[in-house]
Amino acid sequence: MSPILVRPVREQLEHDRVIRLLQAKYKRKFEVAINPGNEHTAPVGPGPSPWYPDLVLFSSERSRKLVGVVEVETSESINHLEAMSQWRTFAGLKVAFHLYVPVSGVDSARRLCTELQIPTTEIWAYNSIGDQIRFTPVQRAPQAGDGRGGRAVAETMTTRPREAAVAARPRETAVAAKPPAPAKPAAPPRAAAARPRTTRGAAKPAGRAAAPAKPRAAVARAKSAPPRRAAAKAPARKPASSASKAQKRK
């Protein structure tokens, strides 16, 4: 039996309401049995005196194997005695242990789990807003599909925190440990191809014959000579008439 035998009526109603909401939530993946209030329908644990958690999760297979338990606490049931008796027992069943506490009791629940070394799979906080109840994840243990494996990462973080921090960020470590690549030597500048110098009077390429060079004196005379005037045309002679030809004969 739980050390908390009697809860205030208001807290008990809220407690049972949260249980039924969680039943609908976990029913999507598991076969769920509940023990609200004073009902004892789904026992767990060996021995003649079994325990009755608020929700019991079974696998959906034919074997109906026990896969987890869920315990819902109120502000009055979060204490050292409750943690020592129920929480530690549920955590020792080697199945998933989900703990739901009100928002006001999150710090107390986490402190008790740390002091008493009670491993929890998940810790959730719930609060009521009007007619609705909202659930907020607070803490989640590493699972087998997280990163390099839940248990391996958890053990590494506990025993070797420095190596766990390095394993948590492999990309940054790999980049930091890689030496910088050596700079490539700069290519030498290409030398300009030497062009053959051309001299005056050099023969032009084949195709047209090179014109003979004129002497400098003839060029100078041609430049200093005044421009030639066009020759005046002689007036054209008119043909002599027949009378003038007769006079010349006489």
Side-chain angles (χ1 to χ4, degrees):
M1 295 293 292
S2 171
I4 303 300
L5 299 179
V6 180
R7 283 194 181 96
V9 178
R10 185 176 181 180
E11 285 192 4
Q12 187 64 42
L13 292 175
E14 184 179 6
H15 175 268
D16 296 343
R17 183 185 176 191
V18 172
I19 290 177
R20 289 183 172 85
L21 290 175
L22 293 178
Q23 181 184 17
K25 172 185 176 183
Y26 287 103
K27 196 174 181 179
R28 302 171 184 174
K29 296 182 180 180
F30 309 100
E31 293 289 337
V32 184
I34 61 175
N35 297 309
N38 295 325
E39 297 181 13
H40 295 162
T41 56
V44 295
S49 56
W51 292 85
Y52 297 90
D54 294 324
L55 291 95
V56 183
L57 309 180
F58 299 97
S59 63
S60 56
E61 301 174 355
R62 295 182 180 179
S63 60
R64 284 179 57 86
K65 182 181 178 181
L66 178 66
V67 294
V69 294
V70 181
E71 185 66 14
V72 179
E73 302 293 349
T74 59
S75 57
E76 294 291 336
S77 62
I78 300 175
N79 52 57
H80 190 274
L81 188 59
E82 184 80 6
M84 284 288 293
S85 60
Q86 282 196 334
W87 299 2
R88 177 169 287 183
T89 302
F90 296 151
L93 294 176
K94 297 182 180 180
V95 294
F97 174 41
H98 303 265
L99 181 62
Y100 285 77
V101 297
V103 174
S104 59
V106 170
D107 295 336
S108 300
R110 296 180 67 176
R111 177 176 52 81
L112 289 172
C113 291
T114 303
E115 292 178 357
L116 301 176
Q117 298 181 356
I118 300 175
T120 57
T121 306
E122 292 180 357
I123 297 179
W124 289 72
Y126 67 89
N127 64 323
S128 58
I129 302 176
D131 297 336
Q132 297 181 354
I133 294 180
R134 296 184 179 180
F135 301 96
T136 306
V138 175
Q139 182 176 333
R140 180 173 179 267
Q143 301 297 324
D146 298 345
R148 297 172 59 186
R151 295 183 179 178
V153 173
E155 294 175 0
T156 307
M157 292 177 64
T158 305
T159 56
R160 295 175 292 180
R162 186 174 182 181
E163 296 180 5
V166 173
R169 50 177 190 275
R171 294 185 178 181
E172 298 179 2
T173 306
V175 174
K178 187 178 180 180
K184 295 182 180 180
R190 296 181 179 179
R195 296 181 179 179
R197 296 182 180 181
T198 56
T199 55
R200 292 183 179 181
K204 292 184 180 180
R208 292 184 180 180
K214 296 182 179 180
R216 294 183 179 180
V219 174
R221 292 176 183 174
K223 289 183 179 180
S224 59
R228 295 181 179 180
R229 295 181 180 179
K233 294 182 179 180
R237 295 182 179 181
K238 295 181 180 181
S241 60
S242 57
S244 58
K245 288 181 179 181
Q247 290 178 3
K248 287 182 178 181
R249 290 177 182 176
K250 291 178 178 185

